[in-house]
Amino acid sequence: MTRFEVVRDPLWNNIRLDPEALAVVDTPAVQRLRYVRQLGHAFLVYPGATHTRFEHALGAYHLARRVLDALEDAGDVRPDAQERSRLKLAALLHDIGHYPFSHALEEAGLPHHEALAARHLTNGALADRLSELGTPAERLLPLIRGEARGPLVGLVAGSLDVDKLDYLSRDAWMCGVPYGVIDVDRLLAALTVAPGPDGRATLALHEKGLAALESLLFAKYQMYRNVYWHHAVRSATGMFKRLVRCAIASRRLSPDAVALATDDGLIHELLGNDPTGLARALRERRLAKRALDLPATDLPTATPAWPSDDPDLLERVEDRLAHEVGLAPGGLFLDFPAKPDMLALDLPLVKRDGAVTQLAGTDAGAHLGLPRVAAELYRSARRLRVFVTGPAAVPAKRIVDLVMTPREEVVVRLEQGRSLMAG
């Protein structure tokens, strides 16, 4: 096949779909992404945020194609036709296993979406098309999961992958905010290939792209602070996590059914049988209100991880707290999201004299200003919040003390029936 088609896109204007994309894009697994919103419940705050994983997938494919063309034109690397196809398909299909409503269900304890990609890539029409293209699932999964080796794997999963370049730009554009503006053209022009720490060739950045890279990092910080972790978005996310966890626990829904659902399909199922009332409340935008909202900068620097990485314990804590402040189970949500690698970097930097150094950890601060203050920026983006569905007094000091309590001690207090907010 030599034909191609052009799709009009509000962000990148024209996206050219080459034969390998045309072979897979109309399969049911890929078309499902049209009905999975990129930003979950963010549309309840930013009405334009109804863009989908499908649009994002096309954008990532488009950027992968541009990077490969630029690297070849510069003579930095010349992958063969099969490798080019594999990289572009991995970019197109990197979110193929994604749940409805963004990352909320991963926070709720379901497996990460990368782990679900295999089910879509190895079954049905998509698997057939990939086999016909000579790029079966086993050649794509390592790229999607960040486990592959090779000079260009960083295009799909890395510090400067096409996923980040598209979602930050697209999310800001569709939300109507100026925070995610990135000089994508400059970044793409500055990409090259250079030896990594192990001596193997890997995706790298020319020194001329440092300012654009710093703008990407700051855009990411701003988007988390103002969009992804907006208080109303997090309230809706907390309600939705509890709603789905209750439906799975009561066997009204199976994890497999949730993983294969679309946004509207899942909400329809939840509305049909919802003893919690949360589905209807979300549908009507009756969100839990903030009873507490503290910046992480008001807390000690090091905090236990259980509020963000142990959804089972978090649910038990929430219900005990609800009881202690006079609310019914499911009437209180404790929210302290975490993304410690938010501003992390790990890629080689090619200096103007040709010397290669590493942009990673503290070494990145020698070339960029932002990594030197990354820890404080991350803390300023995080907020500790308690949302409630009814009137309740939530003492700030007691909640801070609780969040600073080690996981093991919290478990003991729960099992012994002791108050979580006792002085």
Side-chain angles (χ1 to χ4, degrees):
M1 290 188 296
T2 57
R3 65 190 181 93
F4 67 88
E5 291 186 9
V6 174
V7 175
R8 295 289 291 175
D9 179 67
L11 183 62
W12 307 121
N13 293 327
N14 293 324
I15 293 178
R16 171 173 164 157
L17 299 182
D18 288 331
E20 73 276 354
L22 292 174
V24 304
V25 76
D26 283 336
T27 60
V30 178
Q31 288 296 307
R32 169 185 167 270
L33 299 180
R34 287 185 184 271
Y35 310 102
V36 176
R37 293 188 191 93
Q38 177 79 7
L39 290 186
H41 287 95
F43 72 95
L44 296 176
V45 179
Y46 300 97
T50 56
H51 56 299
T52 68
R53 294 276 161 188
F54 182 79
E55 298 157 62
H56 167 55
L58 296 185
Y61 174 86
H62 169 72
L63 292 178
R65 187 175 181 278
R66 285 180 59 185
V67 173
L68 288 167
D69 288 347
L71 291 172
E72 287 196 36
D73 289 345
D76 292 336
V77 65
R78 295 194 180 278
D80 60 30
Q82 192 66 27
E83 182 64 5
R84 277 183 61 97
S85 178
R86 184 172 81 109
L87 289 163
K88 289 190 291 181
L89 281 172
L92 177 66
L93 300 173
H94 75 280
D95 273 349
I96 195 69
H98 222 291
Y99 294 100
F101 293 99
S102 193
H103 292 276
L105 297 179
E106 293 170 337
E107 290 185 31
L110 274 67
H112 282 252
H113 69 89
E114 292 89 351
L116 301 179
R119 122 174 25 193
H120 297 277
L121 297 178
T122 58
N123 291 285
L126 178 56
D128 294 341
R129 298 294 87 75
L130 291 175
S131 294
E132 292 166 7
L133 291 168
T135 313
E138 56 266 25
R139 298 201 66 213
L140 294 178
L141 286 169
L143 278 168
I144 292 171
R145 293 171 177 167
E147 300 167 351
R149 304 293 292 269
L152 298 179
V153 298
L155 286 180
V156 181
S159 295
L160 262 179
D161 57 41
V162 293
D163 175 30
K164 293 182 185 66
L165 292 176
D166 185 84
Y167 84 67
L168 287 170
S169 302
R170 189 174 300 277
D171 293 352
W173 180 267
M174 299 305 292
C175 288
V177 300
Y179 314 122
V181 177
I182 302 165
D183 192 348
V184 173
D185 288 343
R186 184 65 167 174
L187 277 172
L188 297 187
L191 288 175
T192 185
V193 173
D198 60 0
R200 297 172 184 264
T202 189
L203 197 68
L205 186 75
H206 279 296
E207 190 172 6
K208 64 184 180 182
L210 280 174
L213 175 61
E214 194 148 47
S215 79
L216 180 148
L217 293 174
F218 193 67
K220 195 174 185 183
Y221 155 73
Q222 289 275 29
M223 289 297 288
Y224 270 93
R225 179 169 183 166
N226 295 289
V227 176
Y228 307 146
W229 288 347
H230 185 282
H231 67 87
V233 175
R234 292 306 303 175
S235 173
T237 299
M239 295 168 68
F240 179 70
K241 288 190 295 184
R242 175 58 70 95
L243 172 62
V244 174
R245 283 177 59 87
C246 287
I248 291 174
S250 63
R251 301 185 184 277
R252 288 181 284 118
L253 281 176
S254 70
D256 283 349
V258 171
L260 295 172
T262 61
D263 284 18
D264 286 346
L266 180 55
I267 283 295
H268 177 77
E269 289 294 324
L270 292 167
L271 282 167
N273 185 3
D274 176 28
T276 70
L278 292 171
R280 180 63 60 186
L282 280 170
R283 193 69 159 183
E284 298 172 358
R285 203 186 183 279
R286 290 182 285 108
L287 304 181
K289 304 302 182 185
R290 284 174 290 177
L292 177 69
D293 190 341
L294 295 174
T297 49
D298 286 357
L299 278 65
T301 302
T303 57
W306 64 262
S308 61
D309 73 3
D310 192 337
D312 294 334
L313 177 59
L314 180 63
E315 182 173 315
R316 294 174 64 194
V317 166
E318 289 173 340
D319 284 349
R320 178 66 63 81
L321 290 175
H323 174 75
E324 292 184 24
V325 300
L327 296 173
L332 180 149
F333 308 99
L334 175 67
D335 189 60
F336 195 31
K339 189 173 179 63
D341 62 347
M342 178 191 294
L343 302 176
L345 284 173
D346 187 9
L347 76 163
L349 175 70
V350 181
K351 300 173 125 181
R352 296 185 188 278
D353 62 2
V356 177
T357 187
Q358 194 71 11
L359 284 177
T362 56
D363 292 340
H367 307 281
L368 295 165
L370 191 143
R372 301 174 200 167
V373 294
E376 284 307 304
L377 285 175
Y378 171 57
R379 290 182 70 213
S380 70
R382 295 184 77 194
R383 298 193 75 89
L384 170 62
R385 298 182 176 116
V386 175
F387 300 102
V388 293
T389 58
V394 179
K397 184 179 185 307
R398 298 285 189 260
I399 297 298
V400 171
D401 289 344
L402 172 62
V403 168
M404 293 305 302
T405 302
R407 182 190 320 251
E408 295 75 14
E409 185 176 337
V410 173
V411 171
V412 169
R413 288 164 68 176
L414 285 167
E415 291 176 347
Q416 293 180 349
R418 292 158 50 198
S419 171
L420 295 180
M421 292 197 295

